[in-house]
Amino acid sequence: MPATAAVPESGAAAVSSTAPDTAPSGHIPGSRRPHLPTAAVPRHALRRAAPALAAYLAVRLTGLVFLAVWAHRRHHGVWPMLATQWDSRWYLGIADHGYAHTLGIAYDHNNLAFFPLYPLLVKAVAVLTPGTRASTGLGIAWLASLVAAWGVFAVGDRLGGRRVGVLLTVLWAAYPVGLVQWMGYTESLFTAFAAWTLYAVLAERWLWAATGSVLAGLTRPTGIAVAAAVTVTALLSLRTRFSARALTAALAAPLGWCAYVGWVGLRLGRWDGYFAVQRMWHNELDGGAETMRWLRHLFGQVPRPELFLVVVSLTMLASVVLFGLAVADRQPVPLLVFGAVLLVIVVASGGVYFPRARFLLPGFPLLLPVAGYLARASRRLRVLALTAAVAGSAYCGAYMLLVWPSAP
């Protein structure tokens, strides 16, 4: 279900390097010199990421098994919940029938709020594969989640080494609403583009970064956060030396997001067409007034607040704190810009409240402070923390689909 005007679907330090703070010309500004793994040769990259991907699959399979057992006891089918409900139904509708031609007068009803890349992929791939479009969409989400997990590992590995990369991947897998990664939603696809785009920026592969940013901008409204990370970092890098590729990336990064917003305006015949659609979904930025109203209501006025809404609230608050720790640790500029814009879009939204933990799911760099702390912690503490995170994620994911009556 869409949420905000910009999101229509809307003291442990972070990883630190032991290298000197001085950076050579062309280094990503605003960061310490990152630890560069020796196994950076592409043909070895998948082998290096294998433990992280195996851990990711173990976490998500744990959640899926827990959901299946609980669903069986409640006589619910697992596949329909993962592939055909809530936002999945909107994407499948777009794949089947295309977009609306008019704004209309019905609230929460215009499918132009949903960005096009995922439903277009579902439609295209379904022609080449057996089964329904729903199963195709779920398969794309599952495959994208593995690509995303690899990208999350790659960023953590580059900044803090292999252990940090694996821990970051496990923490992202064990996100409170991590089950969404294996639903017919766009979060996994978007995180894949975001993670590999950020990795490309860290490696100064500007044309790859621009391509990933354009694709992210066609996938979710929060693609503008990826574009901001690429554009700001590329422009800052020009202060030390000129690069035509960096300048191209800075200019091209927002084109995917702008293209869809512009297309909606042309389709509806008004310059603010996309934002008008968002208003029909009750989604506008209000500086955080609605967020504060919900927090006061849940923690100050309701005797027994709904568990899922408590999880959403705590996830948002924890994300703000973790961003502060990331700033204190001087994380690289692209990660800070991405996290900042993502948080502003979600926290400053006046739209629906309950999907906001899901909207923050692609913000894996916010988990770097925790990954860095656990990498230095004792083995016992690390095992206890990860076990609690995995168990909590499994329970919350099943609760989200089986008890919570609305969209994730």
Side-chain angles (χ1 to χ4, degrees), residues 122-130 133 136:
V122 171
K123 185 174 184 177
V125 175
V127 175
L128 307 174
T129 56
R133 283 178 173 169
T136 299

Side-chain angles (χ1 to χ4, degrees), residues 14-395:
V15 180
S16 299
S17 171
T18 57
D21 288 349
T22 55
S25 176
H27 177 58
I28 297 299
S31 69
R32 301 179 184 180
R33 183 64 178 168
H35 169 78
L36 298 179
T38 57
V41 182
R43 68 174 181 270
H44 298 311
L46 183 57
R47 183 185 306 168
R48 183 172 180 84
L53 295 179
Y56 174 79
L57 286 172
V59 174
R60 291 282 21 105
L61 286 171
T62 299
L64 186 62
V65 170
F66 188 86
L67 171 67
V69 172
W70 195 349
H72 177 73
R73 291 177 177 272
R74 295 174 66 97
H75 306 290
H76 287 291
V78 172
W79 185 88
M81 290 188 294
L82 298 179
T84 65
Q85 293 184 1
W86 305 111
D87 283 13
S88 301
R89 187 163 56 242
W90 283 98
Y91 291 120
L92 293 174
I94 294 169
D96 288 338
H97 309 295
Y99 281 105
H101 289 83
T102 60
L103 181 61
I105 58 174
Y107 283 95
D108 304 335
H109 197 67
N110 195 306
N111 65 5
L112 287 165
F114 297 86
F115 275 49
L117 186 55
Y118 177 70
L120 287 177
L121 283 175
V122 171
K123 185 174 184 177
V125 175
V127 175
L128 307 174
T129 56
T132 64
R133 283 178 173 169
S135 59
T136 299
L138 193 58
I140 291 173
W142 286 20
L143 179 60
S145 75
L146 290 173
V147 177
W150 189 1
V152 170
F153 167 80
V155 171
D157 185 24
R158 182 176 181 87
L159 293 178
R162 193 177 196 182
R163 174 178 290 184
V164 169
V166 172
L167 289 169
L168 183 63
T169 307
V170 172
L171 290 170
W172 182 69
Y175 192 79
V177 294
L179 183 60
V180 173
Q181 297 164 12
W182 280 13
M183 294 176 63
Y185 276 51
T186 57
E187 272 71 20
S188 288
L189 184 64
F190 179 75
T191 305
F193 290 137
W196 284 108
T197 297
L198 292 173
Y199 180 83
V201 174
L202 292 172
E204 298 185 32
R205 297 175 182 175
W206 295 115
L207 298 185
W208 281 107
T211 302
S213 179
V214 169
L215 293 173
L218 290 170
T219 304
R220 285 193 62 81
T222 39
I224 196 65
V226 180
V230 175
T231 297
V232 170
T233 310
L235 291 177
L236 288 175
S237 74
L238 295 177
R239 297 186 306 173
T240 56
R241 61 181 172 86
F242 178 78
S243 166
R245 292 189 175 191
L247 180 59
T248 300
L251 297 175
L255 292 183
W257 189 89
C258 291
Y260 181 68
V261 171
W263 179 81
V264 173
L266 291 173
R267 191 172 182 85
L268 297 181
R270 49 188 294 179
W271 71 270
D272 67 338
Y274 172 76
F275 303 101
V277 170
Q278 286 301 320
R279 289 192 290 272
M280 297 302 292
W281 283 91
H282 306 279
N283 295 329
E284 294 181 274
L285 295 177
D286 65 357
E290 182 71 2
T291 300
M292 293 305 300
R293 188 187 73 79
W294 269 100
L295 291 174
R296 287 195 301 268
H297 175 72
L298 290 172
F299 297 112
Q301 301 173 7
V302 181
R304 296 182 62 183
E306 215 289 333
L307 176 61
F308 185 72
L309 296 180
V310 171
V311 170
V312 170
S313 302
L314 293 179
T315 300
M316 279 200 302
L317 294 173
S319 297
V320 173
V321 172
L322 290 173
F323 180 76
L325 293 176
V327 172
D329 195 59
R330 293 190 296 167
Q331 280 185 12
V333 166
L335 273 61
L336 293 178
V337 172
F338 174 65
V341 176
L342 185 65
L343 277 173
V344 167
I345 290 172
V346 176
V347 176
S349 166
V352 290
Y353 187 78
F354 48 82
R356 297 189 190 194
R358 170 168 65 87
F359 295 158
L360 287 170
L361 194 155
F364 69 92
L366 297 173
L367 297 170
L368 268 169
V370 184
Y373 175 78
L374 291 178
R376 300 186 297 273
S378 67
R379 179 182 178 87
R380 180 182 180 185
L381 178 58
R382 195 158 54 238
V383 170
L384 288 175
L386 294 180
T387 301
V390 173
S393 176
Y395 180 83

